[in-house]
Amino acid sequence: MNELYLQLKNLSLAENLPEHEYLFSLADKASSLLEKEVAWYRAPAKNGNGGGLLDFTEEARSSVVTRGVSAGEEAASRGAGDVSGVRSGVGGAVGARDVPGTAGGAVKAAAGACGYVAGASAGVCAAGVPFRAPVEKPLIIVPDLHARSYFLMHILDFTLPAGFVSGTGFVMGNGRDGSSCGQTSSGGQSSASTSQMSGAGCALTVFEALSKNLVNVVCVGDLLHSELRGKARWLRAALEFEDGNFTGEAMTEEMKEGLSLLSMVMELKCAFPESFHVLKGNHENILNEAGDGNYSFGKFANEGEMCRLFMGEQYGDDVLYVVSCFEKALPLFAAFDSCVISHAEPLRAYSREELVEGLLKPEVIKGLTWTENGASEPGSVSAMISIFANYRRFRFPCYFGGHRPVRGKYALRQNGSYIQFHNPEEENVVLISGQRDFNPDTDIVSVNR
């Protein structure tokens, strides 16, 4: 069985806290990847780090070839010379770049500059270097996770409906359609190569689809804090803190769940950088800061400060710091042809430029992570949808968010354009095929079967 899958499974069942060296190394790797995640779908902010916007729209995909030609010529003109500063288009992965000063380094640098994305339609940039332009992939949107490692594991094990990853639309069911693996369905995406869609005709789990680069997964944030599910435990932990015990039994149990989930998320981001994404939520604040768009958090106890003190005593300032770097490098907003996503309902409409620079703007961070029901400016959702939506293909593009809990599958706001789907008592995800308009009654599904 896949080694990564077994690791994720073990993390979801973990009976102990992660070891210091493991957590430090993983958080350092994941935060470094996010900070330098400058790829076709994530434009850099003015500080050179990955910006606050993930843009997977047709406009962004189409611009890759145009941008790749000039970048590829520049890389090729350097020949086997210096390739420093040229990163692969695959999630900004530095590891895809070969050693500067070698012929292999020049080829890999040029391929990265041409906008290479694994598992996409092939072409040749002006430098004569083969590259692959990105293609549209179906989308899975994950609500607030709140320390539910079992929920994330159920998502990875979920068998996708028949046709979901083949681009032919899909029918709800158990996903087993009898197709043989390695055969692609007719009527699929014309731009996708046969090799990319290999396995698309058979029933795949989410983990298998991620491994084949056939799907995008976007989590809306809020990784830590069990909230209402753990209310009694939080109250017990608060009594431990009153006695000066920051790593007592109740708090340790809480953090085992939270850090297992956090570790799973970081492992998935490192393994599938261009396909697995996490947006910043209001709970991504391990330092319990008040400022820069963040607020200290407390609901049943003083949860934010209790987490900070636990991490400091159990792991030390080094782990606390790298985890905070991971949180602060998470994007704020994701855009697709049929939908847009942020953790919370937007406080107001933000421009594309504001979203790209959003991680440097406290007002934007607050406005996309902390907005309460009823606080958003009227029309803000439709205004933001209009910036990115492909109205040629979709009549009713949507805006998805979590943050506020709902009963049942979903709640509609702003004339039905904003869809909240975070039910903490259920394990529901959104499936977006990209081939038709979203239907909340059929396309929000439970992964706990």
Side-chain angles (χ1 to χ4, degrees):
M1 188 175 288
N2 183 284
E3 182 177 345
L4 172 62
Y5 177 85
L6 287 176
Q7 185 174 16
L8 294 167
K9 190 74 170 179
N10 289 334
L11 282 169
S12 73
L13 301 172
E15 297 181 357
N16 300 303
L17 290 165
E19 294 292 334
H20 175 281
E21 288 306 314
Y22 168 77
L23 189 56
F24 176 85
S25 176
L26 179 59
D28 184 46
K29 180 180 178 181
S31 60
S32 297
L33 186 153
L34 282 168
E35 288 168 355
K36 302 306 177 185
E37 188 180 34
V38 177
W40 69 268
Y41 55 83
R42 190 173 187 185
K46 290 179 180 178
N47 64 356
N49 288 351
L53 169 64
L54 300 178
D55 187 355
F56 295 92
T57 61
E58 181 179 338
E59 180 180 350
R61 297 193 304 272
S62 299
S63 70
V64 170
V65 176
T66 303
R67 289 186 285 112
V69 168
S70 59
E73 287 176 333
E74 178 185 353
S77 68
R78 289 198 295 265
D82 180 23
V83 295
S84 60
V86 180
R87 293 180 179 273
S88 164
V90 186
V94 180
R97 183 180 64 199
D98 210 336
V99 179
T102 67
V107 170
K108 287 190 177 181
C114 284
Y116 176 85
V117 178
S121 58
V124 177
C125 71
V129 178
F131 74 98
R132 296 180 183 273
V135 298
E136 184 180 23
K137 295 184 289 189
L139 168 66
I140 301 168
I141 312 176
V142 178
D144 309 35
L145 285 166
H146 284 303
R148 293 181 290 172
S149 57
Y150 58 87
F151 181 12
L152 182 54
M153 200 67 226
H154 289 162
I155 294 171
L156 296 175
D157 286 338
F158 178 68
T159 300
L160 291 164
F164 183 72
V165 295
S166 67
T168 59
F170 64 98
V171 178
M172 288 311 304
N174 63 9
R176 296 290 173 183
D177 62 357
S179 301
S180 60
C181 292
Q183 296 180 350
T184 57
S185 303
S186 60
Q189 299 165 338
S190 60
S191 59
S193 65
T194 301
S195 61
Q196 178 200 7
M197 301 307 293
S198 176
C202 52
L204 297 175
T205 66
V206 172
F207 181 82
E208 290 167 340
L210 277 170
S211 300
K212 294 175 180 290
N213 196 23
L214 293 174
V215 68
N216 283 317
V217 175
V218 174
C219 305
V220 304
D222 278 9
L223 304 180
L224 296 181
H225 307 147
S226 61
E227 292 210 302
L228 183 60
R229 176 177 60 85
K231 178 180 178 180
R233 185 170 61 198
W234 279 114
L235 295 176
R236 293 198 306 273
L239 295 176
E240 294 172 350
F241 271 68
E242 288 179 5
D243 292 334
N245 184 1
F246 298 162
T247 57
E249 180 181 357
M251 195 62 195
T252 297
E253 286 300 314
E254 170 69 28
M255 295 306 291
K256 277 195 293 189
E257 292 184 6
L259 293 178
S260 293
L261 184 278
L262 178 64
S263 297
M264 291 175 71
V265 166
M266 292 191 293
E267 289 282 7
L268 285 163
K269 181 60 186 177
C270 291
F272 311 117
E274 69 172 60
S275 299
F276 187 88
H277 306 278
V278 184
L279 303 182
K280 175 177 164 54
N282 61 303
H283 286 254
E284 273 63 70
N285 184 13
I286 196 73
L287 296 178
N288 200 38
E289 294 177 324
D292 293 329
N294 294 308
Y295 291 86
S296 56
F297 177 78
K299 182 174 287 187
F300 306 117
N302 192 7
E303 291 96 325
E305 185 65 6
M306 291 163 70
C307 281
R308 185 187 71 82
L309 292 172
F310 176 93
M311 292 294 292
E313 181 161 315
Q314 180 70 32
Y315 291 102
D317 290 343
D318 54 348
V319 171
L320 192 62
Y321 172 73
V322 291
V323 171
S324 74
C325 289
F326 170 80
E327 295 176 331
K328 292 178 179 180
L330 293 171
L332 298 167
F333 190 89
F336 297 82
D337 289 326
S338 62
C339 67
V340 296
I341 313 162
S342 63
H343 175 69
E345 189 174 357
L347 186 62
R348 65 170 177 83
Y350 300 97
S351 67
R352 184 188 297 266
E353 181 181 2
E354 285 180 304
L355 294 172
V356 172
E357 302 297 331
L359 294 176
L360 305 177
K361 296 178 178 292
E363 185 263 338
V364 178
I365 295 174
K366 173 188 173 184
L368 291 173
T369 61
W370 274 98
T371 310
E372 297 295 323
N373 287 346
S376 178
E377 290 184 6
S380 58
V381 164
S382 59
M384 294 192 71
I385 289 174
S386 67
I387 297 173
F388 299 98
N390 189 332
Y391 287 101
R392 292 182 293 103
R393 295 176 54 200
F394 303 99
R395 293 177 60 196
F396 305 108
C398 306
Y399 193 134
F400 292 95
H403 188 49
R404 306 306 302 163
V406 302
R407 293 182 178 180
K409 281 189 174 183
Y410 62 92
L412 301 179
R413 303 186 59 79
Q414 300 222 16
N415 298 317
S417 294
Y418 183 72
I419 303 175
Q420 296 171 319
F421 68 109
H422 165 47
N423 184 333
E425 297 180 1
E426 298 183 7
E427 297 179 37
N428 297 332
V429 299
V430 169
L431 300 183
I432 304 286
S433 70
Q435 304 301 311
R436 57 171 173 79
D437 282 305
F438 172 77
N439 183 335
D441 294 316
T442 59
D443 300 344
I444 298 177
V445 302
S446 173
V447 298
N448 185 13
R449 296 182 175 180

